Amino acid sequence: MPALETVARSAGGGRHTASRRANIDSSVRTSALGNLTGLTALSVPCGFSGAGLPIGLQVIGKPLREAEALAVGAAWERLNPTAGRMPHLP
């Protein structure tokens, strides 16, 4: 499952506008499953968008099985060709 529905967006600033609220809603939509059900979840880097922004992979496991989820995340990081690569910052 993706960690977010889209690639990273600008954090912006100022008041909570409708577009900022939509950004927050889309950011929580994929993480809410684990939060509401008590499932174990973690996000691991899995690549970069065409614009060079990081993309995350969310690993979801059984409740109280953190070691298993961490093992899956570690295995993914060992096999991921972009592991250790940092996004380009302006």
Side-chain angles (χ1 to χ4, degrees):
M1 168 177 268
L4 297 173
E5 292 179 344
T6 61
V7 296
R9 298 177 185 171
S10 171
R15 297 175 25 184
H16 285 279
T17 63
S19 64
R20 284 196 73 209
R21 180 66 190 171
N23 285 349
I24 293 167
D25 287 347
S26 71
S27 296
V28 201
R29 195 170 293 127
T30 54
S31 64
L33 176 66
N35 293 338
L36 295 174
T37 61
L39 298 173
T40 299
L42 71 124
S43 177
V44 292
C46 69
F48 294 88
S49 71
L53 296 172
I55 299 174
L57 168 73
Q58 186 174 204
V59 176
I60 299 177
K62 295 178 180 178
L64 305 174
R65 298 286 185 88
E66 289 86 359
E68 291 174 5
L70 290 168
V72 170
W76 170 256
E77 287 187 330
R78 282 192 302 275
L79 297 172
N80 182 358
T82 63
R85 185 175 144 209
M86 299 296 289
H88 173 71
L89 301 175

